[in-house]
Amino acid sequence: PPRSTLFPYTTLFRSLLNSNVIECGKITLKKQLFDLSEIVNIIIFQNKINCENKQQLLEYDYDRDAEYFTEGDPLKIRESIENLISNAIKYSPSCSVIKVSLKKEENELIFSVKDSGPGLTEQDKLKLFNKFQRLSAQPTAGETSTGLGLYIAKQIINLHNGEIWAESVYGQGSTFFIKLIATEL
């Protein structure tokens, strides 16, 4: 089959592998000091085409003079943030705004992404971050979902002694947050 028809299967396969590695406790974190704002900038740049295709505006608010250093596995953290941003794009309608923010509050870094999607029902909130969970919202342009992304993101953030959560009012979109420990240079 052509590569385009295999894409959802390769994504599912990769997600299943990541999920199993995490559950078996065999994930190896390659910890190092890194600048979280640089990772967020890269992810936003890489998602501009997806936003343009849906006529969405992706805004990024952060203090360019602040330092956003943390210690952890930058590739794993990136995977978690990519999931949240791609979900915001996937579940927001065309011609909407997605707001990404990075703040430093004392010894914590707080990343957030606010979408313009339908928001989470109370039932969705109970299933959030669980394995193989499909929530009530549907992708707005036929994108695919494995039901594993938020589960994997939560496991990765937990391994970094961080927190991940969502705030949402049904009908008014959702905001997803990641909190990590800041490291001073």
Side-chain angles (χ1 to χ4, degrees):
R3 186 172 193 267
S4 61
T5 58
L6 291 176
F7 176 73
Y9 300 108
T10 57
T11 302
L12 176 61
F13 182 70
R14 189 175 325 118
S15 296
L16 284 169
L17 276 176
N18 284 341
S19 166
N20 286 334
V21 166
I22 289 169
E23 287 174 355
C24 292
K26 295 187 180 188
I27 190 168
T28 304
L29 296 179
K30 296 179 181 164
K31 289 188 175 186
Q32 63 187 55
L33 188 64
F34 67 95
D35 185 341
L36 188 61
S37 67
E38 289 179 8
I39 286 179
V40 176
N41 270 311
I42 290 167
I43 295 167
I44 287 173
F45 177 78
Q46 290 176 333
N47 278 281
K48 282 200 181 281
I49 291 176
N50 295 337
C51 286
E52 288 171 6
N53 289 341
K54 291 181 77 173
Q55 299 175 327
Q56 296 167 329
L57 179 61
L58 189 57
E59 296 178 351
Y60 180 26
D61 178 38
Y62 72 110
D63 181 353
R64 289 175 178 7
D65 296 325
E67 292 183 340
Y68 299 98
F69 287 98
T70 188
E71 190 169 339
D73 187 325
L75 294 177
K76 298 295 182 193
I77 296 292
R78 178 179 174 160
E79 184 178 341
S80 298
I81 291 173
E82 280 177 338
N83 179 266
L84 297 185
I85 290 176
S86 72
N87 280 352
I89 295 166
K90 187 185 302 184
Y91 293 100
S92 293
S94 296
C95 304
S96 60
V97 177
I98 297 160
K99 296 181 179 183
V100 175
S101 171
L102 183 59
K103 296 186 180 348
K104 185 174 183 182
E105 295 179 2
E106 296 180 23
N107 65 339
E108 298 174 331
L109 303 178
I110 302 172
F111 164 85
S112 68
V113 58
K114 179 175 180 26
D115 65 39
S116 299
L120 300 170
T121 65
E122 292 305 312
Q123 189 126 30
D124 288 338
K125 291 176 186 177
L126 295 173
K127 298 189 287 185
L128 203 58
F129 302 110
N130 292 332
K131 194 173 186 180
F132 294 118
Q133 293 300 310
R134 300 266 173 112
L135 306 179
S136 62
Q138 296 297 311
T140 57
E143 299 97 334
T144 60
S145 172
T146 64
L148 285 168
L150 291 176
Y151 170 79
I152 292 170
K154 182 170 181 65
Q155 304 312 308
I156 289 170
I157 298 304
N158 286 347
L159 287 170
H160 286 84
N161 298 314
E163 296 177 46
I164 185 170
W165 74 96
E167 296 174 2
S168 180
V169 174
Y170 188 67
Q172 298 179 26
S174 302
T175 305
F176 283 80
F177 298 88
I178 291 176
K179 184 190 302 181
L180 297 169
I181 299 166
T183 303
E184 297 298 325
L185 290 180

